[in-house]
Amino acid sequence: MFKYFTNKKNFLVVTVMLFIFIFGSINIAIANTNERWFWLTSNDKFSLYVDKESVKYNKNTDEADVFVKYVYPSEKKVIMLELNINYKRHTERCKEAYLFTEEMNFIKSLEDYPRDECTIVPETIMETLAISISKLLPR
């Protein structure tokens, strides 16, 4: 077996393969710890994630409740919202809002966060969110 490594080309190939295997395994392990949160979109201010495990669907009213989080890296904060999406009326409403540190340490409830029911406007992040969540539902 060690005779195989006397050739520099063989040694280099095996070394590169081990490197790919080790770091590929690390990336898979990191990805698996975050399977709960589905990345939806990002811009220069925040990234939006959907909590796949929190989705609750009411077939009778065609509504879904779900937690989402907006991660603001430059501000070192996370805003987590519990949203209600009504597919019959094509509306969304924030039920609860919370502020966390970037390490997910609770800071406070956001009592002044808008709670009004709003129409989901076409070609917006909220429409993308509603469509993405609907794909997780037994509709």
Side-chain angles (χ1 to χ4, degrees), residues 46-132:
F46 66 84
S47 293
L48 175 60
Y49 299 87
V50 177
D51 180 5
K52 295 184 293 187
E53 292 181 19
S54 72
V55 177
K56 293 182 182 91
Y57 180 63
N58 183 326
K59 190 176 179 177
N60 297 329
T61 60
D62 198 19
E63 291 179 299
D65 290 334
V66 64
F67 279 92
V68 299
K69 67 179 176 180
Y70 290 84
V71 178
Y72 295 85
S74 63
E75 298 177 44
K76 300 183 186 227
K77 71 178 183 179
V78 174
I79 294 179
M80 189 175 300
L81 307 175
E82 181 182 9
L83 297 178
N84 173 269
I85 299 171
N86 186 305
Y87 290 96
K88 280 185 182 176
R89 293 193 306 263
H90 204 64
T91 60
E92 60 89 11
R93 179 178 64 86
C94 177
K95 295 171 70 174
E96 297 291 336
Y98 307 100
L99 179 62
F100 292 85
T101 65
E102 64 183 338
E103 295 85 19
M104 292 307 295
N105 295 315
F106 179 77
I107 297 174
K108 65 179 182 174
S109 291
L110 299 173
E111 302 299 328
D112 57 341
Y113 204 88
R115 303 280 202 278
D116 298 335
E117 186 172 52
C118 301
T119 300
I120 297 173
V121 178
E123 297 185 15
T124 62
I125 291 174
M126 195 51 66
E127 183 181 53
T128 303
L129 175 67
I131 291 168
S132 298

